[in-house]
């Protein structure tokens, strides 16, 4: 299969590579009926699918996507269709269409249709298994390439890319769908996508769906500056008109817009929703004469989670507190599996100013690999900082890198050949950065020159394995001055050389310098300051120590990193008053306290939220806790979500934490026999013919955790079922969802039947293809752009 990888690589680098356009749009033109599965056409009427592919090839498409977008076991469940039969039939249709041409066939893989943990219930491992089944079948069926498209969750893409790379020899392209703010609806940025997927070995990355070519262009420009990989763009034909079921950009205008991509060197392009062979033909004609090259990408050191990108272009703090060494309480937490305690350590370091969190779980008596997985999952459920996987066990390192949703650092490798040959391949596979300790089998050298020699050897080995130079960090090692005073100077000398001569980033475990001395803070902060001036970029420190973080903050001003001293002023202005406030807050269990229930909800601390609720029930009624503490806390979280200070995973985590409080309150009410905690009943349904329900499920989670009782009717729900349930349950609010323009008539029909029934309920509608104008036209009471808007309307309805 190496010839397929080479062929794709050549096509992407030598000139333009034209992809196909929409399959769904063409199937609708061919008479696809409401509720009919597109995948079934491959088996029942294969000639239709083959003809569509052939039209795209004749228009100039060099890669056609097989009709396998939703052919995963989750989406096919209950349809009578089997994954292998669908994929085999779909690939056969595509291969028949490209026979006698140079066009290639891609196995097209869309989202599974269920949110991954921690936002949902689908585990990373389960997602991997679902994708593995698809890619193995696809390769056997004869696909030339694998494409993951229309993805919104970076974790899901990672699972798919790993499944493809580990189980097939085919090249892989990954495209995600972004909103105009440059993020997916789960909060993933293009820079995070680029860092993670390039590191994992994708052969191309890009953007498809959701927006038209003009709206995608600024996002694509950012992506082109963040990756050296070929950039892929498949835009929609503008925006959908829910009334006419058409898109607002014609083929010639679409092609004209695609010229701007060619002018900045983006050469892999096709179309998504609303585009047809005519669009592809016009694009080919419009862009072929343009010969511009992409600007050279300036490689940067980037670490990230999906929503947080840390560029190491100044001093970045690595928090050291998630480590059992010398910490009895932390050791106890590991032994007892107390993940709440570990989550709190992550949050407190993030709030104290850490940019990255070191994660070390190695101690006698526990399974380090299993514990690493558990701890990493816990931390990334409550904190969006990049992680540093800290272990001497290769299995634990790989487990941590595999399960982490982002680009991490590995701590560490040293100059021993065995360590280099074991650890560096793992680093390369997962696209991580790595810390090289300036020591080998002979221990820590006593001179800077000997440490530098080891650092150079580690760098050479890393680069020979394909690890980029900017991803190699060196730890020149900090020795305690109470025992080896002269070594402080040698460390600083080595740090300066590594920075100035080798051009690498430096890491140091700063706190070691003062071990065994009284008043350690003075020695630690002084050494830290000297080390930063010598070239230390990544100090491993305790961010909860105010003096240490003050030193970092001050250095950033003097180095020019803190422009106009803005962060410095923010940190130090009114410090005396801040101390008093913090001391007062810690005594409270109220909504705004650092240790109060509002804080626990905002950080997604489930166990702490439940514990505080039990305490509050001793002094407050159930409704007082709900109305005075829980709802205001959720409202504040919602406001931060609307301002894009936090993103969907954090919103869902906060809702899940509040759910723990509601469970405690429900039990209390049942025990007293005093009634119900529900604020009212709400029906949610995805309308007839539409099988997409992720958005509906998110709304359900948020509503339930505001105290509403949600009757979830599922997806593909007939209007009669909605009306019957609304009357039977005397529901005051009905929420309807639709993702496809073809199912908007079903939404209108459901609204009409509810009105005709005489049942006096309010109706809220939402979905990617809806507009406020269309909602008014069909008689809905409210158009909700997201889950928060639905909650706001529910408050109006129920008071």
């Amino acid at each position: 299969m190496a010839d397929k990888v080479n062929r794709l690589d050549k096509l992407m680098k030598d000139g333009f590579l034209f992809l196909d356009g929409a399959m769904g749009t063409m199937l609708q033109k061919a008479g696809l009926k409401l509720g009919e599965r597109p995948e079934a056409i491959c088996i029942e009427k294969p000639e239709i699918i083959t003809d569509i592919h052939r039209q795209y090839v004749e228009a100039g498409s060099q890669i056609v996507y097989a009709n396998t977008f939703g052919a995963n076991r989750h989406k096919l469940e209950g349809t009578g269709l089997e994954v292998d039969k669908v994929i085999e039939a779909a690939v056969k249709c595509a291969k028949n269409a490209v026979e006698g041409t140079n066009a290639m066939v891609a196995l097209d893989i869309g989202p599974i249709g269920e949110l991954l943990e921690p936002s949902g219930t689908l585990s990373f491992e389960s997602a991997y298994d679902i994708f593995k089944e698809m890619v193995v079948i696809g390769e056997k069926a004869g696909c030339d390439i694998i494409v993951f498209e229309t993805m919104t969750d970076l974790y899901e893409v990672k699972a798919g890319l790993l499944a493809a790379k580990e189980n097939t020899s085919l090249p892989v392209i990954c495209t995600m769908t972004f909103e105009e703010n440059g993020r997916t609806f789960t909060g993933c940025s293009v820079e995070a996508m680029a860092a993670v997927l390039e590191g994992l070995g994708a052969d191309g990355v890009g953007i498809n769906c959701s927006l038209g070519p003009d709206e995608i262009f600024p996002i694509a420009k950012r992506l082109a500056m963040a990756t050296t990989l070929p950039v892929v763009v498949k835009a929609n034909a503008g925006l959908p008109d829910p009334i006419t079921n058409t898109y607002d950009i014609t083929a010639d205008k679409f092609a004209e817009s695609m010229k701007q991509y060619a002018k900045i060197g983006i050469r892999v392009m096709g179309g998504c929703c609303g585009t047809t062979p005519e669009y592809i033909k016009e694009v080919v004609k419009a862009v072929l004469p343009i010969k511009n090259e992409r600007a050279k990408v300036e490689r940067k050191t980037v670490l990230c989670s999906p929503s947080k990108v840390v560029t190491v272009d100044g001093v970045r703090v690595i928090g050291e507190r998630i480590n059992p060494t010398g910490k009895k309480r932390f050791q106890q937490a590991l032994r007892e599996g107390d993940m709440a305690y570990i989550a709190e350590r992550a949050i407190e370091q993030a709030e104290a100013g850490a940019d990255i969190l070191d994660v070390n779980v190695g101690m006698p008596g526990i399974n380090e690999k299993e514990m690493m997985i558990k701890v990493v999952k816990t931390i990334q459920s409550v904190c969006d900082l990049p992680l540093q996987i800290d272990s001497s066990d290769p299995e634990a390192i790989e487990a941590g890198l595999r399960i982490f949703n982002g680009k991490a650092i590995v701590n560490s490798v040293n100059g021993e050949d065995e360590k280099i040959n074991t650890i560096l391949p793992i680093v390369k596979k997962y696209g991580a950065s790595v810390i090289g300790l300036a020591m080998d089998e002979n221990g820590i050298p006593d001179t800077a020159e000997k440490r530098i020699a080891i650092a150079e050897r580690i760098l050479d080995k890393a680069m020979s394995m394909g690890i980029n130079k900017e991803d190699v960090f060196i730890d020149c090692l900090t020795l305690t001055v109470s025992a080896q005073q002269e070594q402080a100077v040698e460390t600083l000398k080595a740090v300066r050389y590594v920075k100035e001569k080798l051009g690498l980033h430096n890491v140091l475990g700063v706190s070691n310098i003062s071990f065994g001395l009284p008043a350690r803070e003075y020695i630690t902060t002084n050494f830290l300051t000297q080390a930063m001036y010598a070239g230390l970029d990544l100090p491993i420190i305790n961010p909860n120590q105010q003096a240490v973080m003050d030193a970092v903050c001050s250095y950033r001003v003097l180095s020019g990193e803190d422009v106009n001293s803005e962060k410095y002023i923010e940190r130090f202005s009114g410090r005396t008053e801040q101390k008093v406030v913090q001391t007062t807050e810690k005594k409270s269990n109220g909504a705004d306290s650092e240790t109060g229930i509002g804080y626990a909800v905002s950080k997604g601390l489930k166990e702490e939220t439940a514990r505080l609720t039990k305490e509050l029930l001793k002094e407050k009624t159930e409704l007082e806790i709900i109305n005075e503490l829980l709802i205001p806390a959720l409202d504040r979280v919602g406001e931060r979500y609307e301002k894009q200070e936090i993103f969907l995973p954090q919103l869902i985590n906060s809702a899940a934490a509040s759910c723990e409080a509601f469970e405690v309150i429900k039990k209390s009410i049942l025990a007293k026999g005093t009634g119900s905690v529900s604020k009212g009943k709400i029906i949610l349904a995805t309308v007839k013919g539409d099988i997409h329900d992720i958005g509906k499920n998110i709304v359900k989670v948020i509503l339930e955790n505001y105290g509403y009782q949600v009757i979830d009717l599922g997806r593909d729900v007939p209007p009669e079922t909605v009306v019957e349930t609304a009357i039977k349950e005397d529901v005051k609010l009905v929420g309807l969802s639709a993702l496809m323009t073809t199912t908007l008539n079903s939404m209108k029909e459901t609204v009409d039947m509810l009105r005709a029934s005489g049942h006096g309920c309010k109706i809220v509608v939402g979905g990617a293809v809806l507009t406020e104008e269309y909602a008014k036209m069909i008689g809905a009471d409210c158009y909700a752009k997201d889950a928060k808007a639905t909650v706001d309307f529910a408050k109006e309805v129920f008071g």
Side-chain angles (χ1 to χ4, degrees):
M1 295 294 179
D3 60 321
K4 293 183 177 180
V5 177
N6 294 336
R7 183 178 163 202
L8 177 68
D9 188 58
K10 188 174 188 302
L11 280 170
M12 289 198 289
K13 289 182 178 177
D14 286 356
F16 287 98
L17 177 56
F18 297 109
L19 311 175
D20 61 6
M23 173 59 74
T25 300
M26 294 296 289
L27 284 174
Q28 289 167 29
K29 288 177 179 290
L32 181 72
K33 297 174 183 176
L34 183 65
E36 193 173 5
R37 298 288 311 207
E39 297 84 7
I41 308 297
C42 300
I43 298 170
E44 297 167 1
K45 300 175 184 178
E47 67 279 2
I48 293 177
I49 303 298
T50 298
D51 181 60
I52 291 171
H53 289 316
R54 190 173 290 122
Q55 289 183 56
Y56 278 119
V57 173
E58 291 171 354
S61 297
Q62 295 160 284
I63 296 180
V64 294
Y65 288 22
N67 184 31
T68 53
F69 181 82
N72 67 69
R73 73 173 77 133
H74 176 74
K75 283 189 172 178
L76 295 182
E77 185 179 3
T79 65
L81 298 171
E82 299 175 21
V83 175
D84 57 346
K85 297 294 190 298
V86 169
I87 292 177
E88 288 165 2
V91 173
K92 183 178 179 181
C93 290
K95 289 181 76 67
N96 286 341
V98 304
E99 188 175 359
T101 74
N102 291 320
M104 303 172 74
V105 174
L107 177 70
D108 185 24
I109 302 177
I112 292 169
E114 187 173 343
L115 286 172
L116 268 68
E117 58 186 3
S119 301
T121 57
L122 185 68
S123 71
F124 178 83
E125 296 85 353
S126 296
Y128 174 92
D129 194 46
I130 289 170
F131 288 131
K132 176 183 175 181
E133 179 182 29
M134 295 182 74
V135 298
V136 169
I137 295 169
E139 183 175 38
K140 287 181 180 177
C143 281
D144 302 299
I145 180 174
I146 295 168
V147 174
F148 293 94
E149 66 163 339
T150 324
M151 295 290 182
T152 59
D153 184 352
L154 186 59
Y155 212 24
E156 186 172 5
V157 190
K158 178 176 180 176
L161 182 52
L162 281 172
K165 288 294 180 178
E166 292 178 349
N167 298 283
T168 79
S169 56
L170 299 179
V172 184
I173 288 175
C174 302
T175 61
M176 299 185 73
T177 182
F178 291 84
E179 299 175 3
E180 285 192 74
N181 62 7
R183 292 182 181 271
T184 69
F185 93 96
T186 61
C188 179
S189 70
V190 288
E191 290 80 10
M193 176 188 77
V196 172
L197 300 184
E198 181 169 353
L200 288 168
D203 297 280
V205 294
I207 302 164
N208 81 290
C209 206
S210 189
L211 303 170
D214 291 336
E215 293 81 12
I216 285 178
F217 184 66
I219 307 171
K221 280 180 69 176
R222 283 170 51 189
L223 178 57
M225 295 305 296
T227 180
T228 61
L229 294 176
V231 172
V232 181
V233 174
K234 291 189 82 177
N236 287 351
L239 300 174
D241 184 334
I243 299 174
T244 63
N245 191 25
T246 59
Y247 285 76
D248 64 0
I249 296 181
T250 59
D252 57 336
K253 289 182 179 178
F254 185 88
E256 186 66 28
S257 290
M258 292 308 294
K259 285 183 180 180
Q260 60 192 323
Y261 293 91
K263 289 175 182 177
I264 63 170
I266 292 177
R267 295 177 173 177
V268 187
M269 57 183 69
C272 205
C273 300
T275 63
T276 65
E278 182 187 359
Y279 284 73
I280 302 304
K281 183 177 180 180
E282 291 298 321
V283 169
V284 173
K285 185 167 63 175
V287 305
L288 267 181
I290 301 171
K291 304 299 182 183
N292 292 21
E293 297 288 333
R294 252 176 79 185
K296 187 176 180 180
V297 176
E298 179 189 353
R299 298 204 70 101
K300 299 177 181 178
T301 300
V302 171
L303 307 158
C304 68
S305 68
S307 60
K308 175 81 74 175
V309 173
V310 174
T311 303
V312 186
D313 53 3
V315 175
R316 301 291 176 262
V317 172
I318 301 174
E320 67 180 10
R321 301 301 294 167
I322 301 176
N323 188 320
T325 305
K327 304 181 185 74
K328 291 183 179 179
R329 178 65 186 90
F330 197 95
Q331 293 169 10
Q332 178 187 353
L334 289 179
R335 282 193 297 270
E336 297 175 356
D338 184 357
M339 293 298 110
Y341 177 83
I342 294 170
E344 288 167 9
R345 303 293 75 74
I347 291 169
E348 71 181 13
Q349 289 184 97
E351 293 188 338
D355 300 293
I356 301 154
L357 297 181
D358 185 81
V359 181
N360 185 314
V361 297
M363 59 175 280
I366 66 167
N367 184 314
E368 187 176 355
K369 176 184 174 181
E370 292 181 4
M371 184 58 70
M372 181 66 78
I373 292 171
K374 195 172 184 180
V375 169
V376 168
K377 284 186 174 184
T378 294
I379 293 171
Q380 65 186 15
S381 74
V382 298
C383 178
D384 66 352
L385 294 186
L387 301 185
Q388 175 170 286
I389 307 301
D390 184 357
S391 176
S392 58
D393 180 352
E395 288 191 358
I397 290 173
E398 179 159 16
L401 291 177
R402 190 176 187 84
I403 212 68
F404 175 57
N405 189 11
K407 180 181 176 184
I409 306 172
V410 170
N411 185 14
S412 58
V413 70
N414 61 39
E416 297 178 46
D417 286 339
E418 183 183 353
K419 290 288 185 183
I420 286 174
N421 295 329
T422 302
I423 301 299
L424 290 186
I426 298 173
V427 172
K428 170 60 180 171
K429 175 180 178 179
Y430 292 96
S433 295
V434 63
I435 297 172
L437 302 181
M439 60 180 289
D440 56 21
E441 60 272 13
N442 298 314
I444 302 174
D446 57 3
T447 66
E449 291 74 17
K450 292 177 182 177
R451 296 184 202 180
I452 291 164
I454 295 173
E456 290 174 330
R457 187 162 79 249
I458 292 171
L459 174 61
D460 290 343
K461 286 283 191 179
M463 293 184 69
S464 72
M465 294 185 186
I467 298 170
N468 296 320
K469 182 177 179 179
E470 63 270 16
D471 284 321
V472 180
F473 312 154
I474 299 298
D475 186 342
C476 294
L477 300 166
T478 307
L479 301 175
T480 177
V481 292
S482 63
Q484 295 170 282
Q485 190 169 357
E486 72 287 350
Q487 288 301 308
V489 174
E490 295 298 321
T491 296
L492 294 175
K493 190 191 301 183
V495 166
R496 185 171 287 107
Y497 187 96
V498 165
K499 184 71 170 182
E500 296 176 356
K501 302 298 184 182
L502 299 185
L504 302 179
H505 295 299
N506 280 287
V507 178
L508 282 178
V510 175
S511 303
N512 295 340
I513 195 73
S514 60
F515 186 78
L517 292 174
R520 293 182 60 184
E521 186 177 278
Y522 298 107
I523 295 291
T524 300
T525 53
N526 194 296
F527 177 72
L528 171 61
T529 300
Q530 291 189 53
M532 288 189 291
Y533 276 99
L536 174 62
D537 310 278
L538 293 156
I540 303 175
I541 55 180
N542 179 0
N544 300 320
Q545 292 182 338
Q546 182 173 285
V548 173
M549 293 301 288
D550 287 349
V552 172
C553 185
S554 302
Y555 172 81
R556 286 170 173 164
V557 173
L558 299 176
S559 67
E561 182 186 337
D562 184 3
V563 179
N564 298 323
S565 307
E566 289 180 2
K567 297 295 183 182
Y568 181 89
I569 293 169
E570 181 184 331
R571 181 175 181 84
F572 287 101
S573 60
R575 169 166 283 189
T576 302
E577 290 78 3
Q578 286 179 1
K579 281 186 178 179
V580 172
V581 171
Q582 289 173 0
T583 302
T584 303
E585 285 181 342
K586 284 179 182 284
K587 293 178 181 178
S588 168
N589 275 335
D592 300 314
S593 159
E594 268 188 44
T595 56
I597 196 167
Y599 176 83
V601 167
S602 70
K603 298 302 177 182
L605 297 173
K606 301 179 184 68
E607 292 181 22
E608 181 68 0
T609 301
R611 184 190 68 80
L612 289 170
T613 303
K614 292 173 184 176
E615 291 294 318
L616 286 164
L617 283 170
K618 297 175 183 177
E619 54 190 67
K620 290 179 176 289
T621 67
E622 291 83 1
L623 286 178
E624 284 174 339
I625 295 171
I626 292 171
N627 294 324
E628 296 175 12
L629 299 176
L630 289 177
I631 299 303
L634 284 169
D635 285 343
R636 284 190 294 275
V637 170
E639 288 168 9
R640 293 188 66 205
Y641 173 72
E642 288 183 334
K643 294 176 182 177
Q644 293 185 18
E645 295 174 359
I646 61 172
F647 303 98
L648 183 64
Q650 291 88 357
L651 179 68
I652 291 177
N653 286 340
S654 291
S658 71
C659 181
E660 297 296 318
F662 276 105
E663 286 302 314
V664 172
I665 289 170
K666 286 176 185 176
K667 290 177 182 177
S668 175
I669 289 174
L670 286 172
K672 295 177 181 177
T674 54
S676 170
V677 72
S678 174
K679 298 171 76 71
K681 293 180 183 178
I682 301 174
I683 285 176
L684 291 182
T686 300
V687 297
K688 177 66 178 174
D690 205 317
I691 60 170
H692 302 86
D693 63 354
I694 283 184
K696 171 185 68 64
N697 293 342
I698 291 169
V699 172
K700 176 185 177 183
V701 169
I702 305 302
L703 284 171
E704 285 181 337
N705 292 291
Y706 264 84
Y708 299 103
Q709 179 186 344
V710 175
I711 301 171
D712 184 0
L713 298 181
R715 55 191 180 184
D716 191 17
V717 181
E720 297 84 358
T721 303
V722 176
V723 174
E724 289 169 8
T725 308
I727 294 171
K728 180 182 177 182
E729 298 290 338
D730 192 23
V731 172
K732 292 184 178 180
L733 178 59
V734 173
L736 302 175
S737 172
L739 188 69
M740 303 186 298
T741 55
T742 53
T743 59
L744 290 180
N745 283 334
S746 295
M747 180 175 280
K748 182 179 185 304
E749 184 181 350
T750 306
V751 173
D752 289 345
M753 286 187 68
L754 280 167
R755 298 304 188 210
S757 72
H759 182 63
C761 64
K762 297 292 184 180
I763 303 170
V764 57
V765 296
V769 295
L770 262 73
T771 63
E772 189 167 359
E773 292 74 20
Y774 184 77
K776 290 179 180 177
M777 189 195 82
I778 64 174
D781 297 290
C782 175
Y783 161 70
K785 64 178 182 177
D786 55 28
K788 178 64 169 55
T790 308
V791 169
D792 291 340
F793 186 63
K795 289 180 182 178
E796 291 181 24
V797 173
F798 291 98

